[in-house]
Amino acid sequence: MLTVYFALMICTALPVIALKVGIGPGFLAWLVFGMVVVKSLLLVDHFMEMKNAPRGWRMLVHAWAPVVIVVVAGFHTIT
């Protein structure tokens, strides 16, 4: 579980570190989108304890973040 905490902290800190280093806002937005997906997968499996849930429920819960990210990324790309 400690590994999951560290992974979540890295996912939270990585965009901030990238911003401080001077990464452009275009790449930074895509980095944040990726980190949101990784964090949601970790949160669903470890903190919502869905590892042993029925496959359908688990896939449904896992799908919400990528679907939201695709919609937001689509709007981001359009604008």
Side-chain angles (χ1 to χ4, degrees):
M1 188 60 91
L2 191 59
T3 306
V4 175
Y5 285 121
F6 283 128
L8 289 171
M9 286 191 306
I10 289 168
C11 287
T12 301
L14 191 61
V16 175
I17 293 168
L19 184 63
K20 297 265 185 192
V21 170
I23 301 296
F27 178 76
L28 188 63
W30 293 104
L31 179 66
V32 170
F33 293 155
M35 292 300 104
V36 166
V37 171
V38 170
K39 286 173 72 171
S40 70
L41 296 176
L42 289 172
L43 289 172
V44 166
D45 278 346
H46 296 283
F47 293 104
M48 294 175 69
E49 297 182 0
M50 296 283 287
K51 278 185 178 179
N52 300 321
R55 184 181 173 119
W57 284 108
R58 188 172 177 216
M59 291 300 127
L60 183 67
V61 175
H62 273 295
W64 76 268
V67 168
V68 169
I69 291 301
V70 166
V71 169
V72 172
F75 284 121
H76 175 73
T77 303
I78 290 170
T79 58

